[in-house]
Amino acid sequence: MARGKLRIYLGAAPGVGKTYAMLSEAHRRVERGTDCVVGFVEHHDRPRTEVMLHGLEQVPRKDLEYRGTAFTEMDVDAVLERAPAVALVDELAHTNVPGSRNAKRWQDVEELLAAGIDVVSTVNIQHLESLGDVVESITGVRQRETVPDEVVRRADQIELVDMSPQALRRRMAHGNIYKPDRIDASLSNYFRPGNLTALRELALLWVADRVDEYLQQYRGEHNIRSTWQARERIVVGLTGGPEGRTLIRRASRMAAKGSGSEILAVYIARSDGLTAASPKELAVQRTLVEDLGGTFHHVIGDDIPAALLDFARGVNATQIVLGSSRRKTWQYIFGPGVGATVARESGPDLDVHIVTHGEVAKGRGLPVARGARLGRSRIIWGWLVGVGGPALLTLLLTHVDADLGLANDMLLFLTLTVAAALLGGLLPALASAAVGSLLLNYYFTPPLHLWTVSNNKNIVAIAVFVGVAVSVASVVDLAARRTHQAARLRAESEILSFLAGSVLRGETSLDALLERVRETFAMESVALLERAGDTEPWTCAGSVGDGRAPKRPEDADVDMPVGDHMALALSGRVLPAADRRVLAAFAAQAAVVLDRQRLQSEADQARTLAEGNRIRTALLAAVSHDLRTPLAGIKAAVSSLRSDDVDWSEEDEAELLAGIEDGADRLEHLVGNLLDMSRLQTGTVTPLIREIDLDEVVPMALGGVPDGSAELDIPETLPMVAVDKGLLERAVANIVENAVKYAPEGEPVKVSASALGERVELRVVDRGPGVPDTAKDRIFAPFQRYGDAPRGAGVGLGLAVARGFVEAMGGTLAAEDTPGGGLTMVLTLRAVAGRPPDRPELPDVPAQVTR
């Protein structure tokens, strides 16, 4: 019996319409005559979903009892007995009630598929097992019901059911997902815009990966080698030469012209590891391509054009970017070159771009030969084996009564020559070959003990021995040299990779970089020296080490110039010339780090001065009106009371005194905010953190707003928070007063709190005009008032002071849109471990065992 096919509707979040889409598909199939039944569908009291069940045959559910409570689950046996062509099974990640046939619903689905029944099911992205930790870190909710990723990946069809966060929150606000009593809590917790956006991105990325798997699987099954241009993938062929940067930037401009384009830079090295590529240049190019959003790949291949084309077709590339050849004209006698070969063999499915650059026809260059540097002890042993070994072997063979024959004697001497090459290099091996040939001639070639050879065959044998010995010694010595070069290049690559990584990570510590130089080259001290001019004295910009750092480059064991007026000075030992290339990279990076530090310091100073100037200008503007207005009212009231020309009644006097008191209160509030902002600007706010309950602070913060203008919803089960009580009270008061100021008449501001993971959120919700996204950050800046706020309503410091106090306590303050209109201020604080918070109810898939 053929296995059934599985189709899954994957939702980005609860409520996007997975079940509705599944039922719509069922109606389409029934209309086409397909035998389709409902194995298990949960409509969650959503009217539109419940209507879609009409007209579909539903297999009766199985009744189960657990701990005195009745539950219903899908009756797998009944579905198997009914044997439909297609069965609808909702909520694939659901956990069955204990006592069911299987522990998980996806296991029920596996039985239906094994019986040849096609299944259509649904699941949310947050229920995939591999994403459990990610979803918990985003939403603060641990998904108790999960399904293995492999179960979903094996589906024959996966259809993403998506909806923008704003549209989903509107559906929620209109009551299309949950009942009215759960709407506010859901919008404030799980269904926040940030949560929904992150879940949507997870779903899109997961499905995109699955689409790539489908495409690669199909191409493999059908042996498709040509490129399918589903999206632009641009492969950049690098040689390690300086032209690589030009090619990468050119490819980046090409990719920018099309949405979703990818850049893949590939460097192809020969399998023998011998190359003229500069590790430093490759590290720079790797950093460049990663900065531009591409990826860097290192491929081994002796046939470079074939390896490049295989790589491009393997990643389904659509374009290849290569540079014009650096070879000189006469070098084309060795072949047409990589670019021409790739263009000829690419076929019609790959576009090949040959990009000109400044290195065209300047020559490719050859690798620089370097000595093996085997060390004194190895060279001594090589000479001992190469010269003393043949003498000892001759002594042994002449005093042992065993006629091995000239051929075997030569093999023994050849073994010593190879050993000398392995230990000491080429020169000891050549000496061993010379000494061995003379001893073979004198002691083992007739006539014995004479430097002549009577038999011509023996002359040939000795000549062959010398030739083979020299050849083998040369090959062994070359291999030893290449091994040493490869090891050295690997070490240099690791060091340069560290430098490139530090650039990518944005590390700006000069001392850390100098310490890395000291450790890498085993130095006692390292200093970065600079001077203003050629005749000016040297000054130390930074130094590390146990010993005394050099004050001048002349005093150092090693100095590496960086430009005209800067040098890296090292003390401890003299470095070989081969190490100076890597040291030059370190020196250049040290200069860049120093410049970055100074530029950052200057930028910070300029920002501080600009902020100070802006605050002074704004303060003058505020004083000119917002402070003078209450002062003018107070002065007018006082002058009127002191006037002898008017006989004021008690009511008039009371009204004038009330005006004086109101003006004084406004002045006190404005001056208090000004002083608070001054403390924040000068960094003198020192919170006294202690553990308190929110219901001790929030009610006290509402004393400055009219009665009935705010509603409180602070659960007593909330965990305690670590805050400064005074600062928190002042911050909440400013936030609530601002919300009341903009709230419509008769619409009280709602102040609610909830626990999410290791944090507690306080939300202040108003139904006022709201704030556009472009202005949400600006309203927290000092002396900013959004829109047509009435003059005299404040100097625009309330929210700035509130955010400053909250951040000083380690919390955050942000603005969000209120569904249906308005603005919501979200104040997030760190919860104190101890009292467990109420676990939010999981949306859409409540666990049946807790009903």
Side-chain angles (χ1 to χ4, degrees):
M1 180 182 296
R3 179 180 172 85
K5 296 184 179 299
L6 175 61
R7 176 171 183 168
I8 292 179
Y9 286 92
L10 178 67
V16 295
K18 306 178 303 300
T19 305
Y20 191 93
M22 178 181 67
L23 294 174
S24 299
E25 175 64 19
H27 281 286
R28 286 193 293 270
R29 297 196 183 197
V30 170
E31 291 174 358
R32 295 195 298 265
T34 303
D35 183 15
C36 182
V37 302
V38 176
F40 188 99
V41 170
E42 184 63 64
H43 55 72
H44 296 291
D45 296 326
R46 297 168 187 169
R48 297 185 180 182
T49 305
E50 188 175 2
V51 169
M52 293 297 294
L53 284 170
H54 297 167
L56 297 177
E57 178 186 350
Q58 300 186 46
V59 177
R61 301 184 183 183
K62 186 176 182 179
D63 294 326
L64 295 172
E65 184 175 342
Y66 179 69
R67 293 182 178 178
T69 306
F71 301 92
T72 60
E73 293 287 2
M74 182 176 68
D75 193 337
V76 180
D77 291 327
V79 177
L80 292 174
E81 183 179 355
R82 171 63 175 76
V86 180
L88 307 184
V89 183
D90 203 6
E91 299 177 1
L92 187 64
H94 171 74
T95 300
N96 292 330
V97 174
S100 301
R101 182 190 188 98
N102 296 301
K104 303 288 289 187
R105 184 165 291 165
W106 64 264
Q107 296 171 328
D108 297 338
V109 170
E110 287 293 323
E111 287 197 34
L112 301 181
L113 294 173
I117 301 174
D118 293 346
V119 177
V120 182
S121 187
T122 65
V123 70
N124 283 328
I125 190 67
Q126 67 265 27
H127 294 298
L128 296 181
E129 181 67 41
S130 65
L131 300 178
D133 295 340
V134 179
V135 172
E136 183 179 11
S137 66
I138 294 171
T139 65
V141 178
R142 181 65 179 180
Q143 299 297 330
R144 293 172 290 179
E145 297 182 323
T146 60
V147 59
D149 290 48
E150 185 59 27
V151 173
V152 183
R153 287 184 179 276
R154 286 200 305 264
D156 299 277
Q157 296 181 59
I158 299 177
E159 182 171 335
L160 178 65
V161 183
D162 186 26
M163 182 178 290
S164 69
Q166 294 78 11
L168 183 56
R169 285 171 60 86
R170 283 196 299 270
R171 288 192 63 191
M172 174 71 71
H174 294 158
N176 295 331
I177 300 177
Y178 291 150
K179 294 181 180 180
D181 58 343
R182 297 178 58 191
I183 292 177
D184 287 340
S186 299
L187 289 174
S188 301
N189 296 297
Y190 196 90
F191 286 84
R192 292 178 298 170
N195 291 358
L196 298 177
T197 302
L199 293 174
R200 188 186 191 196
E201 183 177 10
L202 284 177
L204 291 171
L205 292 175
W206 196 92
V207 174
D209 289 341
R210 186 70 180 107
V211 170
D212 278 344
E213 291 178 10
Y214 275 133
L215 181 59
Q216 295 298 335
Q217 179 182 352
Y218 182 86
R219 285 165 55 86
E221 291 174 351
H222 294 76
N223 195 26
I224 298 174
R225 298 287 296 164
S226 61
T227 299
W228 285 5
Q229 300 184 5
R231 58 175 171 174
E232 295 291 338
R233 284 189 174 94
I234 304 174
V235 171
V236 184
L238 302 177
T239 64
E243 77 282 358
R245 307 182 199 182
T246 302
L247 303 184
I248 293 171
R249 293 190 178 97
R250 175 60 176 153
S252 176
R253 292 195 296 271
M254 294 168 58
K257 296 179 181 179
S259 177
S261 300
E262 295 182 46
I263 304 175
L264 300 93
V266 56
Y267 169 70
I268 300 175
R270 297 187 182 276
S271 58
D272 56 10
L274 305 181
T275 175
S278 166
K280 176 183 177 181
E281 184 62 31
L282 283 178
V284 172
Q285 293 174 15
R286 175 192 289 270
T287 301
L288 177 61
V289 72
E290 290 176 351
D291 286 343
L292 294 175
T295 56
F296 186 92
H297 304 267
H298 197 114
V299 177
I300 303 297
D302 292 325
D303 188 344
I304 294 180
L308 181 60
L309 289 171
D310 288 343
F311 175 84
R313 294 191 175 104
V315 298
N316 199 28
T318 57
Q319 302 181 56
I320 298 178
V321 176
L322 299 173
S324 298
S325 178
R326 287 185 285 138
R327 295 190 300 174
K328 294 183 180 296
T329 304
W330 63 269
Q331 291 178 312
Y332 281 96
I333 62 176
F334 299 108
V338 174
T341 304
V342 170
R344 184 180 67 247
E345 299 180 0
S346 62
D349 55 340
L350 271 173
D351 297 334
V352 180
H353 303 266
I354 306 297
V355 179
T356 59
H357 50 83
E359 303 297 321
V360 175
K362 291 186 177 181
R364 294 179 60 90
L366 297 174
V368 179
R370 287 181 283 180
R373 294 183 60 200
L374 298 176
R376 181 184 299 272
S377 61
R378 286 190 60 177
I379 293 176
I380 292 176
W381 275 105
W383 281 103
L384 290 176
V385 173
V387 177
L392 293 176
L393 179 60
T394 301
L395 183 63
L396 178 64
L397 293 177
T398 54
H399 287 77
V400 174
D401 188 12
D403 187 9
L404 300 178
L406 181 60
N408 291 327
D409 294 337
M410 287 183 175
L411 288 177
L412 293 174
F413 279 93
L414 183 61
T415 302
L416 292 175
T417 301
V418 173
L422 289 172
L423 290 173
L426 182 60
L427 291 180
L430 293 179
S432 177
V435 173
S437 62
L438 292 176
L439 293 176
L440 282 171
N441 183 10
Y442 190 81
Y443 287 99
F444 303 101
T445 304
L448 301 179
H449 307 298
L450 293 175
W451 298 107
T452 59
V453 180
S454 61
N455 191 335
N456 293 334
K457 294 181 180 180
N458 293 336
I459 296 176
V460 174
I462 293 177
V464 170
F465 165 76
V466 174
V468 170
V470 172
S471 301
V472 170
S474 300
V475 171
V476 172
D477 178 72
L478 180 61
R481 290 172 183 268
R482 295 308 188 195
T483 300
H484 175 76
Q485 291 176 3
R488 181 173 186 81
L489 289 175
R490 178 179 179 181
E492 292 181 0
S493 299
E494 292 176 353
I495 295 172
L496 294 172
S497 175
F498 162 78
L499 286 177
S502 65
V503 174
L504 292 174
R505 293 188 296 270
E507 295 178 356
T508 58
S509 173
L510 179 61
D511 290 342
L513 182 63
L514 295 180
E515 182 63 26
R516 178 74 177 189
V517 175
R518 191 185 69 82
E519 293 176 355
T520 300
F521 297 101
M523 290 293 180
E524 294 179 358
S525 61
V526 179
L528 183 63
L529 307 177
E530 62 176 349
R531 59 181 178 180
D534 294 336
T535 59
E536 298 295 327
W538 290 94
T539 59
C540 181
S543 63
V544 295
D546 299 332
R548 295 184 59 186
K551 303 300 183 182
R552 301 181 305 167
E554 296 83 0
D555 301 333
D557 295 318
V558 181
D559 71 283
M560 175 59 64
V562 188
D564 295 332
H565 304 117
M566 188 176 293
L568 190 64
L570 299 83
S571 296
R573 65 187 181 92
V574 178
L575 287 180
D579 289 339
R580 294 183 66 86
R581 183 176 64 177
V582 177
L583 183 59
F586 271 112
Q589 179 66 10
V592 170
V593 169
L594 180 61
D595 290 341
R596 186 185 297 129
Q597 285 184 347
R598 289 176 174 172
L599 289 174
Q600 184 63 43
S601 177
E602 293 175 0
D604 292 340
Q605 294 177 2
R607 190 180 301 110
T608 302
L609 292 175
E611 182 69 14
N613 289 333
R614 189 182 66 82
I615 290 177
R616 281 191 292 271
T617 302
L619 179 60
L620 290 174
V623 170
S624 66
H625 187 282
D626 294 291
L627 294 180
R628 291 180 61 185
T629 298
L631 282 175
I634 293 173
K635 181 174 178 58
V638 172
S639 299
S640 298
L641 289 174
R642 295 187 62 185
S643 174
D644 297 331
D645 300 336
V646 180
D647 186 14
W648 300 102
S649 64
E650 293 183 359
E651 291 80 1
D652 293 336
E653 290 182 357
E655 184 177 354
L656 290 173
L657 290 173
I660 294 172
E661 184 178 11
D662 181 64
D665 290 339
R666 289 171 58 189
L667 280 176
E668 181 184 15
H669 183 73
L670 293 175
V671 172
N673 276 337
L674 287 171
L675 293 176
D676 289 338
M677 180 54 61
S678 175
R679 292 167 59 202
L680 290 171
Q681 293 289 340
T682 57
T684 57
V685 176
T686 305
L688 181 60
I689 303 296
R690 64 185 185 90
E691 301 175 3
I692 62 171
D693 286 312
L694 277 182
D695 54 9
E696 297 179 12
V697 180
V698 177
M700 299 175 61
L702 304 185
V705 298
D707 293 338
S709 60
E711 295 181 354
L712 276 180
D713 182 14
I714 310 295
E716 296 180 357
T717 56
L718 284 177
M720 301 179 73
V721 291
V723 295
D724 182 304
K725 183 177 180 181
L727 295 184
L728 179 60
E729 181 181 340
R730 188 63 179 271
V732 174
N734 283 357
I735 297 172
V736 174
E737 289 173 7
N738 183 78
V740 170
K741 186 189 308 179
Y742 290 96
E745 188 71 25
E747 287 281 351
V749 172
K750 184 174 181 180
V751 183
S752 61
S754 59
L756 291 173
E758 298 179 353
R759 59 188 187 273
V760 173
E761 283 190 352
L762 183 71
R763 306 177 74 87
V764 180
V765 183
D766 69 65
R767 295 290 181 177
V771 176
D773 293 338
T774 55
K776 281 188 172 64
D777 286 333
R778 195 167 66 247
I779 62 176
F780 293 103
F783 304 104
Q784 294 292 324
R785 292 183 300 180
Y786 175 70
D788 55 350
R791 301 299 294 180
V795 295
L797 285 176
L799 293 181
V801 170
R803 172 175 274 189
F805 283 171
V806 171
E807 292 179 349
M809 295 182 291
T812 60
L813 178 62
E816 296 180 358
D817 291 329
T818 301
L823 189 68
T824 299
M825 289 292 176
V826 183
L827 193 158
T828 304
L829 301 170
R830 180 173 59 86
V832 177
R835 180 192 300 174
D838 288 347
R839 179 178 294 276
E841 184 178 358
L842 291 179
D844 198 31
V845 284
Q848 293 191 11
V849 296
T850 60
R851 279 189 253 175

